[in-house]
Amino acid sequence: MSILVTRPSPAGEQLVNRLLACGKFACHLPLIDFLPGSELPLLVQRLDTLSDGDLLFIISQHAIHYAHHWLVQLGVPWPSRLLYYAVGRTSGRLLYHLGGLSVNYPHEGETSEDLLRLPSLASIQGRQALILRGNGGREMLQQTLRQRGVQVEICECYRRCPVRYDGEEQGRRMVALGIDTLVITSGEMLYQFYTLLSKYYSNFWLMQCRLIVVSERLAMLARQLGWTDIIVANAADNDALMRVLL
C-alpha cells in the first residue's frame, strides 16, 4: 500500500509521519491552506449578543485556533454563560484544553447529523446560536437549527484557500510513486483533486485508487464522481484514519 495524504498542515504531516513510523509508504500533498477569516474582528461583538444558555457551535479545530488567538490578543475570555458544541471529539477536547469549558460533542461520528442527534439539541426553540466556521460549509446545520426555532448567526473565523499545483506534473509523480490509496477528508478537497488531474490520469490512475473518506456523505460524492473502492473512517481525526490504514 502506497498512501497519499491530502490533509492540510500540520495534521497531514503528522499522519504521514505516523504511517512511516509503522512501516507504510506515505507522502503528503496538502490541497488547502488557511488564513484568518474576514469576520474575525466581529467575533467579540457577536459573542456579546448571546445570552445565558444560548448556543455556540465550533465547526473545526481551525475555527478554535483562530478564534482563541483573537480573543487572547484582546484579553477576552470565552464566555462561560453559553452552551458549547463541537462537531467532533478532537475539536471538543481542544476547546476544553484552551478555555476550560465543558463542550458537548457526539461520541459516535463527527458529522452535522451526528451533532444534531444530541438530546440537548432536541428542544431549543427561542434560543440564539452562533456558528464559528470557515468560508462556507455546514449549511445543513444552520438550516436544521432554524427549523428548530433558533436564531442563527455565523462568524467566519478562517478561510480555506486552495493550494495550486500543476495537474500533469502531479499525475506523473503519483503514478511514479505507485500511489494506490488516497486519504481525502472533505468534499471540497475531493472535488479539487478530481478536477486537478487530466482525464488521462483520472481514468488511468485516479479512479483505480482506494479512497479513504470520513463520512457517508463524502463517500456518496465520491461514487458520483466515479470511485468504486471507498472506505469510510468512523471519525475525521488521525487516530481514526490510522486505524483504517493499518
Side-chain angles (χ1 to χ4, degrees):
M1 181 188 295
S2 297
I3 305 160
L4 177 68
V5 175
T6 64
R7 299 201 78 179
S9 303
E13 287 99 338
Q14 292 165 355
L15 180 56
V16 166
N17 289 336
R18 290 176 64 176
L19 289 165
L20 293 173
C22 292
K24 299 289 187 183
F25 176 80
C27 60
H28 188 216
L29 187 78
L31 294 177
I32 57 174
D33 202 354
F34 300 99
L35 294 171
S38 62
E39 296 177 333
L40 201 52
L42 303 174
L43 175 59
V44 173
Q45 176 186 333
R46 292 185 178 169
L47 288 172
D48 285 343
T49 65
L50 301 175
S51 303
D52 289 0
D54 282 339
L55 314 171
L56 183 62
F57 292 86
I58 296 97
I59 295 311
S60 70
Q61 296 179 65
H62 304 289
I64 296 173
H65 282 301
Y66 281 99
H68 185 73
H69 181 68
W70 184 260
L71 294 176
V72 167
Q73 282 186 309
L74 298 177
V76 176
W78 289 95
S80 59
R81 66 185 183 277
L82 307 176
L83 299 178
Y84 286 82
Y85 290 87
V87 172
R89 176 180 62 250
T90 304
S91 298
R93 290 178 176 176
L94 176 60
L95 189 56
Y96 173 79
H97 174 72
L98 293 174
L101 301 159
S102 176
V103 184
N104 301 284
Y105 55 86
H107 292 271
E108 296 294 333
E110 297 192 349
T111 67
S112 296
E113 292 92 336
D114 298 318
L115 177 62
L116 288 162
R117 279 194 287 268
L118 292 177
S120 58
L121 292 177
S123 181
I124 48 179
Q125 185 173 1
R127 299 194 196 181
Q128 294 186 84
L130 177 63
I131 299 177
L132 308 187
R133 68 170 200 186
N135 49 319
R138 303 293 175 175
E139 280 76 14
M140 193 270 284
L141 174 61
Q142 302 170 52
Q143 181 181 359
T144 304
L145 290 172
R146 291 189 174 110
Q147 289 171 350
R148 294 182 185 180
V150 177
Q151 181 181 333
V152 181
E153 189 77 53
I154 304 296
C155 187
E156 182 196 287
C157 293
Y158 68 97
R159 293 190 64 80
R160 299 180 300 276
C161 306
V163 180
R164 304 297 180 186
Y165 295 104
D166 182 300
E168 287 298 313
E169 177 185 338
Q170 292 303 323
R172 288 193 298 271
R173 176 175 173 244
M174 295 302 120
V175 172
L177 290 172
I179 296 295
D180 56 16
T181 303
L182 310 174
V183 178
I184 303 183
T185 54
S186 78
E188 181 179 2
M189 289 190 288
L190 181 66
Y191 191 72
Q192 181 183 342
F193 197 55
Y194 175 78
T195 56
L196 170 67
L197 300 172
S198 68
K199 194 169 186 62
Y200 169 76
Y201 282 109
S202 180
N203 293 334
F204 166 66
W205 168 73
L206 186 61
M207 291 301 151
Q208 313 308 314
C209 289
R210 170 169 293 172
L211 183 63
I212 312 297
V213 297
V214 295
S215 71
E216 288 294 343
R217 189 190 306 134
L218 189 49
M220 186 181 302
L221 173 60
R223 292 185 193 101
Q224 291 170 354
L225 292 175
W227 271 279
T228 56
D229 190 354
I230 304 167
I231 296 176
V232 181
N234 63 4
D237 58 69
N238 281 350
D239 289 341
L241 293 168
M242 283 293 292
R243 286 192 293 271
V244 169
L245 291 164
L246 294 180

